[in-house]
Every structure is written in C-alpha cells, then in structure tokens.
Amino acid sequence: PGGDLPFLGSVLRRAECVRRCEEPRLGAVSRHRAAEEVRADFQRRVPYSYLQRVYIQLNKLEEAANAAHTFFMANPEHMEIQQDLENYKSTSGKVSLVDREARQHMEDYSAGVRHYDKEEYELAIGLLERALQGYYSEDEDCQIMCEGPQRFEEHEYLDYKAGLYEAIADHYMQVLACKHDCVRELATRSGRISPIENFLPLHYDYLQFAYYRVGDYVKALECAKSYLLFHPDDEDVLENAGYYEDLLEGTVDPATIKPRKEARALLRRHKLESHLLQVAAAGLGYAYTEPNYWNRYGARQDEHSVPSSISSEPEDGPRLSLTKKPMPKPSRELKEGGPLLYSDVKFVYNSEQLNGSQRVLLDNVISEEQCRELHRVASGIMLAGDGYRGKTSPHTPNERFEGATVLKALKYGYEGRVPLKSARLFYDISEKARRIVESYFQLNSTLYFSYTHLVCRTALSGQQERRNDLSHPIHADNCLLDPEANECWKEPPAYTFRDYSALLYMNADFEGGEFIFTEMDAKTVTASIKPKCGRMISFSSGGENPHGVKAVTKGQRCAVALWFTLDPLYRELERIQADEVIAMLDQEHLGPSEMNINPKDEL
C-alpha cells in the first residue's frame, strides 16, 4: 500500500538524519563541503608544499623536511621538492622522514612483508593481521565518503532534464561506481594511478604460509581458504590447503574451518555491485567497464615467492617451494648482442658485465674530431633551460643546464648562424646511434626517435664545496620510480612510450659527472661509467634500469641524449621536420656531412 511512498519516505528520513548529524559536528554545509578544485589540491597534497615554506621561515627544519616528504610522496616527479629533500638531509643530518598522510594499513602491510622476507613470521603475522583490520576499517570509510555529492559528467546540471527515477538511477550509479572502486583506492599509494596488484588477497596469501611456519595449521588453512575466495583455481594455494588439511586430520575436521567472514562479505558485496553496474550499463546506457581488481600476477618475485607451494614428500618435513609464479610475458622477446654495423665502433661491456639487463657500453661511436666539431656547434645553438621550460638549473641549483634539438641545429645551419656541415653532423650521428641500438638489441620492428637533445651541464663556481647532491637524480625513463615501494609506476607524467635510451658523450675534460645505474632502491650503485669522447651507453628505458648522473663539480659535461620508441604514434615531431629539412638540403645538392654512414662503412 502507498506505492513508492514508504521507500521515498525512508529516503527523506535518512537525508534528514544525515543533515541533523552533520551540522552540529561539522557546521554549515558551506564549511565542510569543499569545491572540487580544493579537493583536488588536498588529494595532491598541495598544502604541504606551502607548509614546508612556512616551516622554513620559522626555522623548523625537521617539520619542513616532513612536510616536503609528505608532498613528494604524492608528487614523485617534482624535481624541486626532491632537491629540497636532499638539502634537508645534508644540512640537518635527517635521514628518516615522516609521511604525515601515510595510510596505516599500507604501512603495516609493507612492514609485515619486510618481516616475512626476513623469515620473522611471528612479527609478520601481527603486522599483516593489523593491516587487514585497517584495510576493512578504511573500506567502511571509503564507502561512506562515496555517498557525498557526485559529478554528472555526461550532463550539464542546468540542462539536466531527467525524471525522478532517472535522476535517482544516475546519482546512485555514480555512488555505486565510487564504492565499487574502493578496492582500487585502498590498494593505491599516494600520488599513483595504478594500485598494488592483488593487494587484498596477498594479505591472506602471506598469512597462510606464515601461520604454517609457526605451527598454527588451523589459521593457515583459514587464510588459504580466504585467499581461494578470490582465486579458486590457484594451484599452489590449493595444494597448500590440501596439505594443511592432511596435517589437521584426526584433530580438527577441516570442513569446519571456513574462510574469514569479512573476506566473504566484501567479495559478496563486490560481486553484487559489479552485477548492478553491468545491468545499468546494458539497460540505461551507463558507461562502465569492469576492471580486473584481483590480478593474479600481483605476487612477490623473490626467493620466497608467494603463493607458496609446499612439497608433500620433502626430505625433512614440509618446505617452501622456490618455484616462482609466471609473470606476464613481455610483448616482445628481449635480446642483445646483435651486430654493431660500423667497423670503428668498439664493444666494451654487455648487460652481465654492467650488472643489469638490456645494457651495453660502446666506444668510438664518433671520432675525436667529430666530438670537437659537435662541441663547437653546441656552443652556438644551445639555450639555457632548453627542454625544461627555461629553467636553467632544473635538476640541481649547483649546475647550469643548456640544450638544443636537431631541428634547431639544422635551422641555424640553414640560416648560416653555424656551419651547415656541423649542424648536419648532429643529425647524422643521432641516426648512427639509433641504428646501432636497433641492431644490437635485435629489435624486430623499427626503432623511432622519441626525443633527441644535445645537452651540457656546467658546474657553477662558488657552489661546489661540501656538495652532496646529484647532477641528475636517480630515475627511470618511462616510469615513476618509487624506491620505498621498490616499484616503478608506468603511468603519466612518465614518458611511458619510451622503450630504449642512449647517451653519446662528447668530452671528458671535467670533474665528476659519472653516469650510474642503481637498484630500484635508488641507492645501491650497480655500475658507474666515466664519460669520454665517443663513448655511448644504451639501455632499455624501464624500471629495470634506474640511473642518474653524479655531480659535475668542475667544468662542462656535454652529451647527445637520445630516447627511442617502438610505437610510431610517438615519433618525435621535430625529427620528422628535421627529416624534411635534410631532404630539402639533399635536393639542393648540399650533401651529407662527412659522417659517412653509408652501407660501405658497415661491417
């Protein structure tokens, strides 16, 4: 009776209750419902950037360092803040920094995994259990926050002409999509777009083996069954669960041990949300695609790989299998050792000798005379801050940065502002480098230029004493390096389309400036290379090759920096224009430079 009135009456009473609870505690709506721009600034932790400056003025360096660190955790690409952090460490000796917005469930999870890695299973269990409690508490908060105001992206509010039930459905779908995405939100570190894959199931996966190692087979089976809710066909954990059941035989009926209630409830709710969203997508034209929230490849890749397969017939009781779970295969097979194409190019070190993967060091890529000529043209075309929006010291305040592109060199040559032959040399040697990289790494498809930059770093006099920063901080070329998480996030603002990188050095008459590879912790140096004329280092651009440049403390260090892509959609626009200039010059019979990269010069 009453049709929809009982339902709508309950909605009105709920709205009144929410309003009555909010105002006494939070004040008027205008005080606690912030504009979208303000919410975005807080999400990016912008206030901490200002807070850092305030603390500096108050001479509170420790608080300033923590504020800078908190901002940096959400903005890892921010070079100025990174440099500020290095300065704090050197001036105050402060090494441990506090992220004031850290999510406790993620901190507990990371700490638990570290203890697990050290085989400190009792400590790991305590932290991972606390991480789970924090996760489910944060999930409740996330669900509630989704019930706030929503944006109707497909409708301009003033022109919105939906009827009652359409309006309710539109709003509810926005809320439901937000709630459904809490799984991703709670698995995503600050400042990142991509979540930690398989985040919630991994808690149970670590716990099932940790409980086994401390002799609590009931809890081990409980956690194994909880993990199997998410991945019921995981052979490793199925095998483990069977083994735990055998251990409990005669003492406890394994059928009485159930997956954890909170895991069952969350997964049941998540499946229902997914069903409703897909119904709306099919019947109401609501745009929705279900993401893969429980990616099975989100597993640790170390000697104690999880999930853990336990052999049923070991020599001295149960043991941990060291078999690793297969990771997604790269889109192409990684090779190296192909021909260098040019008889004068000298091989120096391969990946193994450089303690990494997809790395090569070569000498004599260009001659001493070509280095000198390239240096002369550089002095005539380089602009301070080129490529960094005019910032003359983009990476460190202790050096001046200058650069120029191939197209600029050719235009200056065509206009007679620098020798045309010298400008053409820049173009030709970059093409020679591209061909060598493509051949050595045995790429089956064309390698395109993504960006080509002639760069010089000059030590600024009077600023080199007690210097402990880097000329270029440790980074990766196609992902955002996160040393604390031991991850590299392949997402904007990183240049995710870059596949290979190369640096061709022009001189050695400076101090410092060594190129270094590190582990993903950005601290452990795996290889150090001293630049010299004609030397080229090339490597794949991903998180497997974090690298940086040590401080240039005297003189000027110059190189041709090259980034390449296998995707023609991301070809360097200036390179295409430079190709057109070269074609025009050839038509005018101006000829190539004495670079001589014709087939007769090849091996």
Side-chain angles (χ1 to χ4, degrees), residues 103 105-107 109-110 113 135 183-190 192-203 206 292-300 482 484-487 489 491:
R103 288 177 165 176
H105 75 281
M106 278 198 162
E107 297 294 301
Y109 172 80
S110 298
V113 171
Y135 181 94
V183 168
R184 180 185 297 275
E185 171 67 20
L186 296 182
T188 304
R189 296 181 186 275
S190 297
R192 306 293 184 265
I193 295 174
S194 304
I196 299 172
E197 292 184 341
N198 208 26
F199 182 62
L200 178 59
L202 273 177
H203 288 70
Y206 280 109
N292 183 359
Y293 287 101
W294 319 116
N295 192 327
R296 280 273 301 279
Y297 292 118
R300 288 190 315 123
D482 186 349
E484 292 191 9
N486 212 38
E487 294 275 4
W489 307 95
E491 58 191 42

Side-chain angles (χ1 to χ4, degrees), residues 122-422:
E122 291 281 6
L123 293 172
I125 287 169
L127 285 160
L128 288 168
E129 290 286 15
R130 194 168 75 181
L132 276 174
Q133 291 176 8
Y135 181 94
Y136 287 111
S137 176
E138 287 277 339
D139 180 63
E140 288 183 18
D141 290 346
C142 183
Q143 297 282 313
I144 293 169
M145 293 300 292
C146 285
E147 295 179 1
Q150 296 293 327
R151 287 185 63 197
F152 294 87
E153 296 181 0
E154 297 181 8
H155 307 287
E156 288 292 336
Y157 183 77
L158 294 177
D159 297 330
Y160 191 48
K161 298 294 192 295
L164 172 64
Y165 297 104
E166 289 175 306
I168 292 173
D170 279 342
H171 192 100
Y172 182 64
M173 286 302 103
Q174 299 281 344
V175 171
L176 190 61
C178 175
K179 289 186 173 186
H180 195 56
D181 208 47
C182 283
V183 168
R184 180 185 297 275
E185 171 67 20
L186 296 182
T188 304
R189 296 181 186 275
S190 297
R192 306 293 184 265
I193 295 174
S194 304
I196 299 172
E197 292 184 341
N198 208 26
F199 182 62
L200 178 59
L202 273 177
H203 288 70
Y204 296 109
D205 202 356
Y206 280 109
L207 283 168
Q208 58 96 9
F209 192 76
Y211 275 121
Y212 158 72
R213 292 302 296 267
V214 301
D216 193 337
Y217 306 136
V218 172
K219 288 286 183 67
L221 181 57
E222 178 187 72
C223 290
K225 287 186 174 182
S226 299
Y227 178 87
L228 290 169
L229 291 173
F230 300 91
H231 303 302
D233 59 344
D234 189 302
E235 294 180 1
D236 291 324
V237 180
L238 283 169
E239 184 181 340
N240 287 3
Y243 186 77
Y244 302 148
E245 289 176 351
D246 291 342
L247 290 174
L248 293 169
E249 190 173 354
T251 58
V252 178
D253 181 4
T256 63
I257 300 172
K258 305 293 185 182
R260 294 193 177 178
K261 290 189 298 183
E262 63 271 19
R264 294 203 308 267
L266 184 141
L267 198 56
R268 185 166 54 248
R269 185 198 77 207
H270 196 71
K271 289 180 178 178
L272 181 56
E273 290 168 350
S274 176
H275 172 71
L276 290 175
L277 287 166
Q278 290 175 28
V279 167
L284 301 175
Y286 183 80
Y288 179 74
T289 302
E290 177 74 3
N292 183 359
Y293 287 101
W294 319 116
N295 192 327
R296 280 273 301 279
Y297 292 118
R300 288 190 315 123
Q301 294 298 297
D302 60 17
E303 62 179 10
H304 295 291
S305 180
V306 177
S308 317
S309 174
I310 305 171
S311 172
S312 58
E313 297 181 353
E315 295 178 4
D316 300 307
R319 60 186 174 86
L320 178 65
S321 168
L322 302 185
T323 303
K324 294 182 179 178
K325 237 180 180 187
M327 289 294 286
K329 294 182 179 179
S331 57
R332 55 189 172 78
E333 186 180 356
L334 301 180
K335 299 178 181 178
E336 60 182 284
L340 299 177
L341 301 181
Y342 303 91
S343 58
D344 50 349
V345 175
K346 179 184 176 183
F347 171 83
V348 182
Y349 293 135
N350 60 17
S351 293
E352 184 177 359
Q353 294 163 313
L354 291 169
N355 301 313
S357 63
Q358 293 283 280
R359 302 175 180 176
V360 65
L361 182 65
L362 306 171
D363 277 343
N364 300 337
V365 175
I366 56 177
S367 67
E368 291 281 352
E369 174 55 36
Q370 289 166 340
C371 284
R372 287 192 292 270
E373 187 174 353
L374 201 56
H375 206 283
R376 285 194 295 269
V377 74
S379 62
I381 65 173
M382 286 193 306
L383 180 67
D386 185 78
Y388 288 89
R389 298 178 182 176
K391 294 181 180 179
T392 58
S393 301
H395 305 303
T396 168
N398 302 307
E399 298 174 20
R400 185 177 71 254
F401 182 94
E402 299 168 288
T405 62
V406 168
L407 182 61
K408 182 178 179 181
L410 289 173
K411 285 184 175 179
Y412 273 39
Y414 189 73
E415 294 168 1
R417 298 163 72 175
V418 296
L420 183 56
K421 188 180 81 169
S422 301

Side-chain angles (χ1 to χ4, degrees), residues 461-475:
S461 59
Q463 294 183 212
Q464 304 304 316
E465 286 188 19
R466 301 177 62 184
R467 182 179 170 188
N468 64 354
D469 64 341
L470 296 176
S471 176
H472 198 140
I474 304 299
H475 64 286

Side-chain angles (χ1 to χ4, degrees), residues 407-590:
L407 182 61
K408 182 178 179 181
L410 289 173
K411 285 184 175 179
Y412 273 39
Y414 189 73
E415 294 168 1
R417 298 163 72 175
V418 296
L420 183 56
K421 188 180 81 169
S422 301
R424 176 72 185 252
L425 175 66
F426 181 13
Y427 175 91
D428 288 339
I429 65 165
S430 57
E431 172 60 19
K432 181 178 183 180
R434 186 200 67 80
R435 297 187 66 195
I436 292 171
V437 173
E438 182 182 80
S439 177
Y440 178 81
F441 290 112
Q442 302 182 55
L443 304 176
N444 294 325
S445 56
T446 303
L447 193 65
Y448 301 96
F449 288 98
S450 168
Y451 190 51
T452 313
H453 209 203
L454 196 160
V455 297
C456 290
R457 305 165 188 270
T458 307
L460 297 177
S461 59
Q463 294 183 212
Q464 304 304 316
E465 286 188 19
R466 301 177 62 184
R467 182 179 170 188
N468 64 354
D469 64 341
L470 296 176
S471 176
H472 198 140
I474 304 299
H475 64 286
D477 285 342
N478 72 7
C479 53
L480 301 174
L481 190 63
D482 186 349
E484 292 191 9
N486 212 38
E487 294 275 4
C488 203
W489 307 95
K490 199 166 184 179
E491 58 191 42
Y495 299 100
T496 57
F497 48 84
R498 290 177 176 173
D499 293 297
Y500 284 88
S501 309
L503 290 153
L504 176 57
Y505 299 108
M506 295 160 48
N507 66 317
D509 54 340
F510 55 89
E511 294 180 9
E514 293 89 349
F515 176 94
I516 54 174
F517 285 113
T518 72
E519 300 284 3
M520 288 187 72
D521 62 6
K523 297 177 182 177
T524 307
V525 176
T526 58
S528 180
I529 295 154
K530 179 67 177 175
K532 69 174 186 178
C533 169
R535 172 163 286 179
M536 184 172 83
I537 180 71
S538 183
F539 49 92
S540 56
S541 302
E544 67 279 3
N545 283 318
H547 58 279
V549 179
K550 288 188 176 181
V552 178
T553 56
K554 185 178 181 181
Q556 185 183 66
R557 174 191 189 270
C558 294
V560 176
L562 304 126
W563 292 273
F564 305 105
T565 179
L566 292 167
D567 189 340
L569 291 176
Y570 293 98
R571 292 175 64 188
E572 181 182 13
L573 178 60
E574 286 207 3
R575 189 76 193 194
I576 297 172
Q577 295 172 319
D579 292 340
E580 295 171 354
V581 173
I582 290 295
M584 179 185 67
L585 295 176
D586 287 345
Q587 285 179 354
E588 295 178 6
H589 307 292
L590 294 174

